[in-house]
Each structure stands twice: as structure tokens, then as C-alpha cells.
Amino acid sequence: METTRQKRISRMAVVLLLIGTVFLFGVVREVTFLYIPPDRERAQKVLEIPEGTTLRETARLLFQNGLITSVGSFVVVGKLLAIERRIIPGEYAFHTRMLPLEIIGLIKTGRVIQYEITIPEGYTLAQISRVVEEKGLARADEFVRRATDPVFVQSLGYETDSLEGYLYPERYYFSKRVGGEGILRVMVKRFEAVYTPEMEKRADEIGMTRLEVVTLASIIEKEASVDEERPVVSAVFHNRIKKKIPLQSDPTVIYGLPHFDGNLTRKHLKIRSPYNTYRVKGLPPGPIANPGKASLWAALNPAKADYLYFVSKNDGTHYFSRTLTEHNRAVQKYQRRRSAKTT
């Protein structure tokens, strides 16, 4: 009888020992999984986690790319950390020296890859679209199509047919999931932060609409490269508008040309176009580029000067004139100097 009892105790002890061994093995395995990276060599991996991907599917994707050593262990840890329904989709940058907890931290907080794009002042919608496409954030044609969709544009509060002029030039960071529409919204929101209520008030004081301010600012942006000259260039255009003299701005003509090869000719200046300010008096129908803050401010605050003309001095600055005679002398002087340099 005693012998049978001893045998039972012995068997139970063996079972407990086996259970303990299995448990200990499991603990060691999980600890090893958590604290030992899958590879000694660091290799970068960029993975896209699609919308609606489950925890197990995520684990398989990571395993297939050599980022974890066990699908099951990752699932167990993921469930314990309650990320099963908190996996944020997107494009992630991993490497093979990352620990599972680091990976979980990335996908739980949505730290997706951010692509930097820099939009210079004076870039047009077409140029911005190419920058966006080069970064793989959206197709250029789709970006332009959305930015010129009247329904979308008006949904943002703009009674125009295009967002040209309202895409504020600055450095931005976007993930690929933002898409073209998301990028447009961010750029417009940034413009609205720069175009302050004080600017709106100033526009009312001088009798200009926001569209007129942005249109004039875009021309100033294209004509002036030195901040100190922007208010003076603005004064020239304000004076011409008041005197009903055509603005005669080359950049507006170029904007209206469908295929410009870089060489503006006299023939171009005779083309019938609402953007040909050699033929049409006043401002063109809309912005010709996306201006920065300095040009917006200059459009609202022209210098107190009675200039009507300016010509490039070929060094980034301009010579300003009050009369046509003075202007013609300046053109002859600086154009001759430029011609001499190119021959």
C-alpha cells in the first residue's frame, strides 16, 4: 500500500518536473525572443503594413523579412501588450538588430516613415506636383487634378478653380499614406496660418480681395529675388494699376504659355491670353505661383515710391525708373551689358 503511494508521489513529481521544465523552457524561449535580436548584422528593411492587417499577419510579414524569430512568440507578446487592435498601418523602417518590443513600439504608435519635401517660394502648382511625385507621395497628374477640382477647392473655402497661390512654400514631412489630397490640405492650412487676420484687415484698408493680394504677391515673388526690393516692385505694380497701365510682367506671360521653352520672344508678348499683362490691364485672373510671406506682405504694403518701371541689373537686383525715357536708358545700359557678357 505504502509502495503504491510512493509510486504515485514519484509519478506526480516527475509530471511536475516535466511541467516545470516545459514552463522554464517556455520562459527562456520568450526571454530569448524578447531580448536577443534576430540577426547579428544590421540590415535595413522597409515594410508596408496594409490597412486591416491582423496581429498574426503582421507577425508573419515580420518573420518572412527576418525581423523576428517566431511568429507565435510575437503574437503572444502582442496580445499581452494589447496591440492586437492597435496596429497602425503604414510604411515602416525596421532593421534586423531591432528587438520585438522596439518593433511593437513602432507599429503601436504609428511612427511611419516621413518623407521630407521642400517647396521653394515661387514654385507653381505644376512644379510642386513634380516634387511630390519624385518623393513617391502622389502622382503629379492626380495631384494637379485634385488641386484644380472646383468642388474640392471650394470645400476648403476658396471661391476659385485652383489652389495655385495657396500652397504655402515651406519644408514639409509626409508619410505615403497621407496622399495628394492630404498634402494639399496641409499646405493650404499652412497658408492660412501665414495669411493672418491682420493681413485680411490691411487688404480691406487698401481695397483688395484675398485673391488679388495673392495674385499680386505671386507676381512679386517671380519678379523680385531680394527681400528689400519686394515693396518697391509692389509699388510699381500698384502705381500701374492705379494709372491703368498694363503691368507688362514677363512671368505672367510665361505662366499662360502651355509649352514654354525658356526663351520669351516678342511673339509671345502678342499672344491672346488672360495672363498676358502686355495686352490685358490690371491683374491676371489668378496667382501665377505660390508666394512666401515676404511677397504677401509686400503686396499689402508697397513702398511709398512713384516708380513705374524696373529692369534687371543682372545681379539679382533692379533699376527702378519714374519715366519711360529713364527706363529706356536703363534697359539699353543693362541689356547691352548682359549681351556683352554672353558674346
Side-chain angles (χ1 to χ4, degrees):
M1 185 108 178
E2 191 66 30
T3 304
T4 303
R5 185 179 179 184
Q6 288 176 344
K7 288 181 179 179
R8 287 178 179 174
I9 292 173
S10 297
R11 284 198 296 270
M12 187 176 295
V14 171
V15 171
L16 290 174
L17 180 62
L18 288 171
I19 292 174
T21 301
V22 171
F23 177 76
L24 182 61
F25 175 78
V27 170
V28 172
R29 184 185 64 186
E30 297 305 323
V31 169
T32 301
F33 173 75
L34 286 174
Y35 294 102
I36 297 180
D39 201 326
R40 292 181 180 180
E41 299 295 327
R42 180 184 175 117
Q44 294 296 129
K45 302 277 186 175
V46 175
L47 296 183
E48 174 78 24
I49 298 180
E51 185 82 40
T53 303
T54 65
L55 176 60
R56 184 167 291 278
E57 289 169 342
T58 301
R60 287 200 193 100
L61 183 63
L62 294 167
F63 180 77
Q64 290 166 0
N65 284 273
L67 292 163
I68 60 174
T69 56
S70 170
V71 171
S73 294
F74 189 88
V75 171
V76 169
V77 174
K79 286 184 176 180
L80 289 173
L81 295 176
I83 70 159
E84 194 163 12
R85 296 184 181 180
R86 298 172 65 183
I87 297 174
I88 298 176
E91 188 182 36
Y92 291 87
F94 301 115
H95 62 79
T96 52
R97 289 287 295 167
M98 291 183 77
L99 300 177
L101 289 178
E102 292 179 285
I103 292 175
I104 288 172
L106 279 181
I107 62 179
K108 184 179 179 180
T109 56
R111 281 177 282 169
V112 296
I113 298 173
Q114 299 285 325
Y115 292 87
E116 176 187 314
I117 62 171
T118 300
I119 308 302
E121 295 173 344
Y123 258 36
T124 64
L125 169 60
Q127 289 174 308
I128 293 174
S129 73
R130 289 193 286 272
V131 173
V132 170
E133 183 173 79
E134 285 169 4
K135 289 291 184 178
L137 296 171
R139 283 178 49 182
D141 58 344
E142 292 178 356
F143 188 84
V144 172
R145 190 180 304 116
R146 197 61 172 149
T148 53
D149 176 5
V151 176
F152 175 65
V153 173
Q154 290 169 22
S155 73
L156 298 178
Y158 294 85
E159 296 300 320
T160 63
D161 294 332
S162 171
L163 290 176
E164 184 81 272
Y166 305 100
L167 305 178
Y168 193 73
E170 200 170 70
R171 179 181 297 171
Y172 295 93
Y173 295 88
F174 296 110
S175 70
K176 286 189 176 180
R177 292 186 61 81
V178 171
E181 182 176 313
I183 293 172
L184 290 168
R185 289 181 183 276
V186 170
M187 289 182 170
V188 169
K189 189 174 182 180
R190 181 60 186 140
F191 165 81
E192 291 170 351
V194 171
Y195 195 79
T196 61
E198 289 75 20
M199 287 184 172
E200 288 277 13
K201 182 180 178 182
R202 174 59 180 163
D204 289 338
E205 290 173 353
I206 61 176
M208 294 181 74
T209 66
R210 181 175 61 179
L211 175 61
E212 290 172 334
V213 171
V214 177
T215 300
L216 178 54
S218 71
I219 301 173
I220 295 169
E221 192 69 70
K222 285 293 192 180
E223 292 279 15
S225 56
V226 178
D227 283 347
E228 291 77 11
E229 284 195 353
R230 296 183 199 278
V232 188
V233 171
S234 178
V236 170
F237 291 133
H238 274 279
N239 293 337
R240 280 177 163 262
I241 291 171
K242 287 176 184 177
K243 292 178 177 292
K244 301 187 184 306
I245 301 172
L247 299 187
Q248 296 185 324
S249 171
D250 291 354
T252 66
V253 179
I254 292 169
Y255 186 81
L257 298 175
H259 304 290
F260 181 61
D261 62 4
N263 180 34
L264 189 66
T265 66
R266 291 185 179 276
K267 184 178 180 181
H268 290 139
L269 304 184
K270 297 177 181 179
I271 290 176
R272 292 185 178 277
S273 164
Y275 289 93
N276 185 352
T277 54
Y278 280 82
R279 294 178 60 95
V280 180
K281 294 179 181 180
L283 293 169
I288 62 168
N290 294 275
K293 186 175 183 178
S295 291
L296 288 166
W297 186 257
L300 291 164
N301 299 277
K304 294 180 180 179
D306 55 357
Y307 295 124
L308 289 172
Y309 308 90
F310 61 85
V311 63
S312 172
K313 293 164 66 175
N314 307 312
D315 61 358
T317 64
H318 296 84
Y319 184 90
F320 295 88
S321 303
R322 293 176 176 83
T323 67
L324 181 58
T325 301
E326 183 185 3
H327 174 65
N328 287 336
R329 284 200 299 265
V331 169
Q332 188 176 27
K333 175 182 178 180
Y334 292 108
Q335 293 299 321
R336 186 191 302 122
R337 182 179 298 175
R338 184 173 63 180
S339 299
K341 287 182 179 180
T342 56
T343 57

